[in-house]
Amino acid sequence: MSFFQLMGFGEGGWGAFMLMGALVTMALALCGFSIGACFGAFAAWAKISGNRFTRTIADIYTTVLRGIPDLLVIYLFYFGGSAFLTWLGRLFGSDGFIGLPGFLAGAMAIGITSGAQHTEVFRGAYRAVAKGEIEAAVACGMPRAMRFRRIVAPLVLRHALPGLGNVWQIVLKESALVSVTGVVELLRQSQVGAGSTRQPFDFYFAAAILYLCITTISSISFHTAEKRFNKGVRRS
Amino acid sequence: MDMQFFWESLVTLIPGIPLTLQLAFLSTFLGAFIALGLAMMRLSGIRPLDWFARGYLFVFRGSPLLVQLFLIYYGLSQFPAVRHSFAWTFLRDPYWCAIIALTLNTAAYASEVIRGGLLSVPHGQVEAARACGMSGFKLFRRIVLPLAIRQALPAYGTELILMVKATSLASIITIMEITGLAAKLVSETYRVIEVFVVAGAIYLAINFILTRIIMAFEYKLTPHLREPRITKVLALENESAGEIS
């Protein structure tokens, strides 16, 4: 079969499956990115305004997670999570093996690794917030929570946007590694297709093109968002 | 905590270290040449070359390394022409496929690092070299490249660390480096957390040592940023003089 027949939507075409895989990839990346943003926000907070103890914890977190391969973290969460759940089940009297769903393990693993990158992005963005703006908010009599919600968070997000774009691209590519846990995302779907049709090049080529489409669309969206959120900034 | 088992896994995983380092260094070394070529294409000002380099960067930075690895290892074998050619001796071997994929991938990232380094060379330095009568390749070799390397070294160090981490993907195409050995040990013993923690600690140690080596290089290559030794001595003398009086 030719490439277009194989990737088409007609009979024997894998187009629909591949698009479905691309959707799962995006969902996985989105979950991982959101979890990572939560971890990153907490770790950045710990680094900026925590005491020595929390700062040390956050430093250890970012150093370790940036020093070990992502694949190892995914393995650790997938196999380790299942081992932990089985152990926990045994405590409550269950005998069988309890597996952690691959999607969950993958999203958690991606979240924790990307959290280390989020941390640095948020910390850098917080540094970039002008002191005068926070002082002005204090002068207006805003309490701490309101100050964070109205002034600090929007400004930090604005400064963090380019960095977040980079992290998103990394997360998207990292999500391909989750295929080792058997989650049928884009790469896993291509493996399945390649195995059953014996045309591996066509499938991996199609996967590469779909990944390129996703990264291109997201980089365009981030550029647009940057433009929009920087409307109020005077360019020199 | 079973220290005995930790020790045993460490002993099992250590033989994987040379292969991991070999994959990382060989592909970073080979990738550096392609990266230099790509960076010069982008700076050449010749449209087709610039476009080619941009296209290369777009493809290799926009898709996951694992897809590139699969495309080379599994994908190329689909074509009989490849299987009957000379290249098949390399493409049949997972080791060389991993080297090729890692090399092509790092070349894309490193070329941006090198381009930044080349752009940062001050114009005055080039002018001075021209005034001394250097031109063309000699100017590039003696003045531009050393300055660019010095400027690009910190970012290149980060790329080297990323490569060490990326070599773990080679385990997926059956290469027995650290991650491969760890996965094998897990499948034999079912003790997931201990084994992967040991493997992670080994990677962490490798990367820690690498960053120290890169920092030492950086220190050596930037004598102009260091305080001259004579002022340090004078400051010390002043201090001690102040203490006496």
Side-chain angles (χ1 to χ4, degrees), chain B residues 162-211:
Chain B
L162 288 177
M163 283 308 282
V164 170
K165 288 166 64 181
T167 56
S168 70
L169 297 197
S171 69
I172 298 180
I173 56 168
T174 69
I175 291 177
M176 281 297 153
E177 38 68 78
I178 301 172
T179 309
L181 288 175
K184 186 162 162 261
L185 189 62
V186 165
S187 66
E188 284 163 4
T189 59
Y190 296 105
R191 298 175 75 164
V192 186
I193 293 167
E194 291 98 323
V195 174
F196 284 136
V197 163
V198 171
I202 293 176
Y203 277 109
L204 215 52
I206 291 175
N207 285 336
F208 180 77
I209 294 168
L210 275 181
T211 45

Side-chain angles (χ1 to χ4, degrees), chain A residues 217-236:
Chain A
I217 292 169
S218 36
S219 82
I220 292 171
S221 327
F222 267 100
H223 269 292
T224 321
E226 256 168 64
K227 255 194 204 144
R228 200 181 137 71
F229 288 113
N230 280 323
K231 255 185 190 162
V233 181
R234 200 183 299 151
R235 290 256 156 245
S236 55

Side-chain angles (χ1 to χ4, degrees), chain A residues 7 14-29 103 172-180 182-194 200 202-215, chain B residues 62-64 66-67 70:
Chain A
M7 290 303 147
W14 287 73
F17 292 104
M18 294 297 278
L19 283 184
M20 196 60 218
L23 273 183
V24 176
T25 285
M26 279 195 273
L28 192 59
F103 190 92
L172 207 56
K173 285 179 268 172
E174 209 178 291
S175 74
L177 302 188
V178 180
S179 63
V180 297
V183 177
V184 188
E185 40 73 80
L186 186 48
L187 186 58
R188 180 79 200 152
Q189 184 62 258
S190 324
Q191 277 177 303
V192 172
D202 294 8
F203 274 95
Y204 294 131
F205 189 64
I209 289 174
L210 280 171
Y211 274 114
L212 285 176
C213 286
I214 299 174
T215 47
Chain B
S63 62
L66 197 57
V67 172
F70 280 5

Side-chain angles (χ1 to χ4, degrees), chain A residues 24-36:
Chain A
V24 176
T25 285
M26 279 195 273
L28 192 59
L30 208 60
C31 289
F33 187 78
S34 314
I35 296 172

Side-chain angles (χ1 to χ4, degrees), chain A residues 66-68 173 199 201 204, chain B residues 61 71 78 109 165 200 207:
Chain A
R66 287 194 301 178
I68 61 176
K173 285 179 268 172
Q199 284 178 295
F201 189 86
Y204 294 131
Chain B
R61 296 200 306 174
L71 208 50
Q78 183 183 326
Y109 288 94
K165 288 166 64 181
N207 285 336

